[in-house]
Amino acid sequence: MTRAAAETDVPTGPGLTVDGESLAFVPGQTLAAALVASGRVAWRTTRGGQRPRGVFCGIGVCYDCLVTVDGKRGQRACLVQARTGMAVATGEGDDE
């Protein structure tokens, strides 16, 4: 990887909020990518057994990465592009 490419992959400033906390992201990242890049690999749990869920398939097939975006529930974090100012709720413990 060239130095220029590496520098463009650095999150800049607080871009969105996740559960009320600021999260910086790299332009072009999905919500799932931004969450994983910040060290958060699971952001909800199943109803039965409270098993952790985060991104699994990464292509919108499995529904493991569901989040609420700007009040709209059931959004797949792996398909939603991160935008400045969006409010994301992870729905911990909520298996939609």
Side-chain angles (χ1 to χ4, degrees):
M1 179 182 316
T2 67
R3 179 178 169 94
E7 289 172 358
T8 61
D9 292 341
V10 177
T12 56
L16 56 93
T17 60
V18 178
D19 297 329
E21 295 183 22
S22 293
L23 177 69
F25 62 91
V26 174
Q29 275 185 322
T30 62
L31 289 176
L35 285 163
V36 171
S38 75
R40 194 164 176 189
V41 296
W43 47 86
R44 68 181 198 95
T45 56
T46 60
R47 278 184 281 188
Q50 299 298 303
R51 291 182 302 265
R53 292 290 183 256
V55 66
F56 178 70
C57 73
I59 58 173
V61 175
C62 73
Y63 293 88
D64 271 359
C65 63
L66 295 178
V67 292
T68 299
V69 179
D70 295 330
K72 188 173 180 185
R73 295 176 56 136
Q75 300 297 299
R76 290 170 277 183
C78 67
L79 297 180
V80 177
Q81 188 167 1
R83 295 185 326 270
T84 299
M86 73 178 5
V88 179
T90 60
E92 281 291 339
D94 184 15
D95 192 8
E96 298 178 4

